[in-house]
Amino acid sequence: MTKAILGPGVKNNFYSGNTALPGEHFQPVHPDVAQLWQGLEHATPSFGIVINVPVVDMGPENGATQLWPGTHLDTHYFHGDGSARVSDEHLAAWREKRPPIQPTVKRGSVVIRDIRLWHAGMPNRTQQPRPMIAMIHWCGWYADCDSIEIPERSRSFFENKALHTNIKVIPDDQFDHIKHGGAYDVQEEAS
């Protein structure tokens, strides 16, 4: 599906997990990557797609991501801004046009969104963590990022002729499974 959207040469340069822990924490509304250029009259076609796969059922009660439909076409923010947060003024304007949603999604389903779509991590008001797999697929001409480090025993999972995943294979006994344990840097507590 991402190849149909992004064209030939689609590649996976991000494979990780995203877990909403129990609590009242949320993220400010933000795009993962904004428009590529400043001052666009119209948004460009998609160049990056985020794929989330919940491994448990998720909904508003356990912190399903809040999504702002249509905001991937908003040209107020561009990649060079240096700010990932959407202003209160722009949130109010979009809320009038099309309010955000917090979908209910069955485990194993797939949520696909343009990387420019405004979204926010929401509170998980249950006592159980809400994990999901997170991937980012890029069009062939964009984002030659660092490799995804994987343990040797996982190599066959990432070898796929239809989707290139930029991997760096680490010997099993040298792989650090915990190094990516930091929280997203725009996380804030709810008011």
Side-chain angles (χ1 to χ4, degrees):
M1 182 174 278
T2 58
K3 182 178 180 182
I5 297 168
L6 300 173
V10 65
K11 58 194 167 194
N12 182 29
N13 271 18
F14 184 83
Y15 189 91
S16 189
N18 175 315
T19 302
L21 297 174
E24 291 297 319
H25 299 284
F26 73 98
Q27 292 176 312
V29 177
H30 65 282
D32 287 332
V33 174
Q35 302 297 331
L36 292 178
W37 299 282
Q38 186 175 23
L40 294 174
E41 186 176 339
H42 301 285
T44 65
S46 184
F47 55 89
I49 300 289
V50 176
I51 301 99
N52 293 128
V53 182
V55 296
V56 298
D57 292 347
M58 74 175 182
E61 66 285 346
N62 68 347
T65 304
Q66 180 188 70
L67 305 170
W68 289 72
T71 56
H72 64 294
L73 301 175
D74 188 291
T75 58
H76 284 98
Y77 300 93
F78 84 105
H79 192 54
D81 274 341
S83 173
R85 298 177 189 211
V86 176
S87 74
D88 290 341
E89 174 188 355
H90 290 133
L91 290 176
W94 267 97
R95 194 178 298 277
E96 288 287 319
K97 288 192 277 189
R98 192 179 298 166
I101 62 169
Q102 220 181 333
T104 298
V105 183
K106 291 286 188 192
R107 70 179 179 194
S109 298
V110 178
V111 177
I112 298 174
R113 67 176 163 83
D114 190 290
I115 197 149
R116 299 167 294 181
L117 189 79
W118 301 353
H119 63 285
M122 300 301 286
N124 177 353
R125 295 187 170 104
T126 71
Q127 296 302 309
Q128 300 298 317
R130 190 273 305 139
M132 68 180 171
I133 297 168
M135 293 173 276
I136 301 176
H137 293 184
W138 299 102
C139 63
W141 55 265
Y142 187 77
D144 281 327
C145 318
D146 294 333
S147 301
I148 302 168
E149 292 185 358
I150 64 164
E152 174 66 42
R153 68 181 169 274
S154 299
R155 179 194 296 261
S156 64
F157 178 81
F158 290 97
E159 292 176 340
N160 182 318
K161 292 182 191 240
L163 174 69
H164 171 74
T165 299
N166 191 13
I167 60 173
K168 178 179 179 185
V169 179
I170 307 294
D172 290 336
D173 62 346
Q174 296 174 23
F175 187 77
D176 181 358
H177 291 275
I178 302 177
K179 75 176 183 175
H180 296 294
Y184 190 71
D185 63 356
V186 295
Q187 186 171 349
E188 292 181 352
E189 289 192 25
S191 323

